[in-house]
Amino acid sequence: MTERIATPLRTRAIMERYGFNFKKGFGQNFLIDSNILENIADAAGITDEDTVLEIGPGFGALTQVAAERAKKVITLEIDQKLIPILSETLDGYDNIEIINTDALKCDICRLSIEKNDGRPFKIVANLPYYITTPIIMGLIDKKDAVESMTVMVQKEVAERMQAGPGSGDYGALSIAVQFYSEANIDMIVQPSCFMPRPKVASAVITLKLRDKPPVDVCDTRLFFRIVKCAFGQRRKTLLNTLCNQGGFDISKEEMTDIIRSAGLDEKIRGEAMSIEQFAALTEKIYEKIK
Ligand code: SAM
């Protein structure tokens, strides 16, 4: 086996050799525990038929492990200073393509057409925490380009993605993630596994993109507009947020009838509602405004 990149010794040696300093602004907390990387690759289920897309390779710790299992690895790194370092640390692997770009600006659907014959990628990443939500929200509905995402995120964010009605963690992110994917927390990772150490614990979560959502929704945009509104002011009732913030041209009396006709109590709050109940409400509001 080629020497592992993810050890404290090797990481320090690379830093010294290149005079590299971690950039907080790019969320640079590198993994220094090889076992965790093998576990991430196991959770992602990478085989030699897969093309893996990685976001943020750092020194190439996860890239290396993925390349030893996958047919090909494409990796997107924003920090220009890391590109010559990666050429050296990943020298000897002929199935890795490094692209110096901002993952948030990258068109993943185009990338899958250009680099993977239009077939979906398995995404793996130790995500920079500042872009966790935009990355996940940007990819979660791109079924044609993404088969699954196995990503390291803050533990608290992973818990929000998996939360259900009635939990304080439940919100618009939980609904979006569960609407488009099956979410499973694979493991909790302690700060001591990173250099530098983050302040909070992390978790690896796998999101397998669904072929179709778990409920039929007549108008997906309207569904998410209602969800966003319902969680916009958590302490208010659904009726009040929909009437005050929803931007629907519907009176309070009419909205009360709509909520009741969807089988809901008019005093219900968004945080108590299941995805199915949001779908039923969307149907009733759609009938009223269409
Ligand atoms: N994969 C490495 C590891 O596990 O050791 C590094 C992970 S580190 C948490 C996040 C990486 O993402 C850094 O290399 C950082 O420079 C890169 N990054 C930050 N923002 C990015 C962006 N918008 N697009 C692509 N890469 C980004």
Side-chain angles (χ1 to χ4, degrees):
M1 203 201 304
T2 319
E3 189 193 352
R4 300 292 85 182
I5 296 167
T7 67
L9 216 65
R10 180 97 194 269
T11 303
R12 266 191 221 104
I14 298 169
M15 288 181 73
E16 269 170 35
R17 184 166 150 75
Y18 288 92
F20 182 85
N21 292 311
F22 295 113
K23 291 177 201 72
K24 220 173 164 186
F26 283 155
Q28 290 177 342
N29 299 93
F30 293 0
L31 273 162
I32 50 164
D33 183 327
S34 296
N35 292 326
I36 302 283
L37 293 162
E38 297 294 339
N39 293 341
I40 294 175
D42 287 345
I46 302 171
T47 73
D48 57 9
E49 293 183 354
D50 292 321
T51 301
V52 167
L53 178 67
E54 187 196 13
I55 296 160
F59 286 165
L62 179 56
T63 328
Q64 175 181 52
V65 173
E68 286 170 3
R69 301 189 185 204
K71 184 172 72 185
K72 186 171 181 193
V73 180
I74 298 168
T75 189
L76 313 178
E77 175 56 61
I78 196 170
D79 187 352
Q80 217 179 339
K81 284 227 162 78
L82 286 168
I83 307 303
I85 303 180
L86 286 162
S87 304
E88 189 186 310
T89 58
L90 298 172
D91 184 31
Y93 293 89
D94 60 4
N95 60 343
I96 298 174
E97 184 174 348
I98 301 159
I99 304 178
N100 184 200
T101 189
D102 179 346
L104 284 174
K105 294 191 183 139
C106 182
D107 181 342
I108 306 286
C109 297
R110 218 169 96 190
L111 201 67
S112 98
I113 293 166
E114 287 174 1
K115 307 274 183 193
N116 200 31
D117 299 329
R119 279 179 284 114
F121 297 115
K122 279 187 179 160
I123 295 194
V124 298
N126 169 15
L127 280 178
Y129 292 158
Y130 79 103
I131 58 167
T132 302
T133 310
I135 284 281
I136 289 177
M137 294 307 285
L139 297 177
I140 196 85
D141 60 348
K142 308 279 181 306
K143 177 77 195 151
D144 291 344
V146 180
E147 179 181 334
S148 61
M149 294 187 240
T150 299
V151 289
M152 178 90 71
V153 299
Q154 287 180 329
K155 176 170 168 272
E156 171 245 317
V157 178
E159 284 165 355
R160 279 202 273 138
M161 289 193 236
Q162 253 203 341
S167 144
D169 290 333
Y170 187 56
L173 180 67
S174 328
I175 295 190
V177 163
Q178 293 166 35
F179 186 80
Y180 287 113
S181 76
E182 280 175 61
N184 179 55
I185 293 181
D186 304 302
M187 69 189 119
I188 306 299
V189 183
Q190 296 308 323
S192 58
C193 298
F194 301 85
M195 193 189 286
R197 293 182 183 194
K199 288 199 176 67
V200 295
S202 306
V204 176
I205 188 165
T206 295
L207 312 177
K208 283 201 178 106
L209 271 62
R210 297 180 190 276
D211 289 328
K212 66 192 256 310
V215 282
D216 286 330
V217 168
C218 54
D219 181 334
T220 309
R221 279 172 71 107
L222 179 62
F223 173 82
F224 282 109
R225 182 175 156 198
I226 293 167
V227 168
K228 202 169 158 207
C229 180
F231 288 104
Q233 291 174 299
R234 294 184 79 97
R235 303 315 310 158
K236 291 211 166 150
T237 62
L238 174 72
L239 176 63
N240 281 334
T241 46
L242 286 179
C243 290
N244 300 336
Q245 314 290 325
F248 300 108
D249 192 15
I250 298 175
S251 71
K252 198 160 184 177
E253 290 68 36
E254 286 172 316
M255 194 59 94
T256 307
D257 288 344
I258 289 173
I259 290 174
R260 284 191 190 138
S261 71
L264 300 165
D265 187 307
E266 75 264 22
K267 292 202 181 66
I268 198 165
R269 293 198 170 106
E271 61 193 12
M273 287 171 63
S274 66
I275 293 186
E276 290 74 14
Q277 288 173 322
F278 274 110
L281 179 66
T282 304
E283 183 103 28
K284 297 296 174 192
I285 293 183
Y286 181 81
E287 280 168 14
K288 180 77 189 171
I289 64 174
K290 74 177 175 198

